Amino acid sequence: MTDLKVTHAYRLLYRGLLHAVQFSKPARYIARDRLRAAFREEQAKLDPRSAIRTLRFLEAAARTRGLEHKILKNLLMHAFYRYHASRTPWRVVEHNMKNPPKQEYAGVLPKNSLQTI
């Protein structure tokens, strides 16, 4: 396909995603990142029929809060928790490097201490 058709399909899908998630902040960024990743794959090929079906699905999700909207919401929440929420902020990593957590011995006595009863 030509670059113009790919660009046009990307913009239509992105606009449809924005309307389907009602421009909500976490969902629109996740949807944008997923769409970018799909279009940047080297072996990816754009299928016009599947793009049209996806646009219909997104239009239905935007129109009502029915099954399509719930499916899209669950897909985006799953992607959020899989990638974005699992990342540890750098300041937490840096703090743990400077102050390593202390190991706790849950009921285990050190080797040097012997207790006689």
Side-chain angles (χ1 to χ4, degrees):
M1 299 201 104
T2 62
D3 290 336
L4 184 62
K5 288 185 180 180
V6 172
T7 305
H8 187 65
Y10 175 83
R11 288 180 180 170
L12 281 174
L13 288 170
Y14 186 50
R15 192 176 308 127
L17 275 169
L18 288 176
H19 286 289
V21 299
Q22 300 171 351
F23 296 89
S24 65
K25 285 208 177 156
R28 71 178 174 193
Y29 298 129
I30 296 162
R32 179 199 62 197
D33 294 343
R34 297 285 301 239
L35 189 64
R36 277 185 188 168
F39 271 84
R40 288 182 179 171
E41 286 183 8
E42 291 186 20
Q43 287 113 7
K45 293 183 181 178
L46 182 66
D47 182 21
R49 289 185 62 202
S50 64
I52 291 171
R53 283 195 306 258
T54 305
L55 279 173
R56 284 188 202 148
F57 177 82
L58 293 174
E59 288 170 0
R63 204 171 325 124
T64 61
R65 291 184 59 192
L67 181 65
E68 294 89 356
H69 183 79
K70 290 178 184 177
I71 290 172
L72 182 63
K73 180 181 171 183
N74 285 332
L75 284 173
L76 292 175
M77 288 302 291
H78 178 72
F80 174 76
Y81 283 113
R82 187 172 192 187
Y83 178 71
H84 293 285
S86 66
R87 295 188 322 187
T88 307
W90 177 248
R91 67 179 162 181
V92 173
V93 173
E94 187 177 18
H95 177 72
N96 288 340
M97 287 172 54
K98 289 180 182 176
N99 305 323
K102 296 179 182 178
Q103 295 180 356
E104 294 183 18
Y105 298 101
V108 178
L109 297 173
K111 290 181 183 179
N112 297 348
S113 67
L114 294 174
Q115 289 185 346
T116 57
I117 300 178

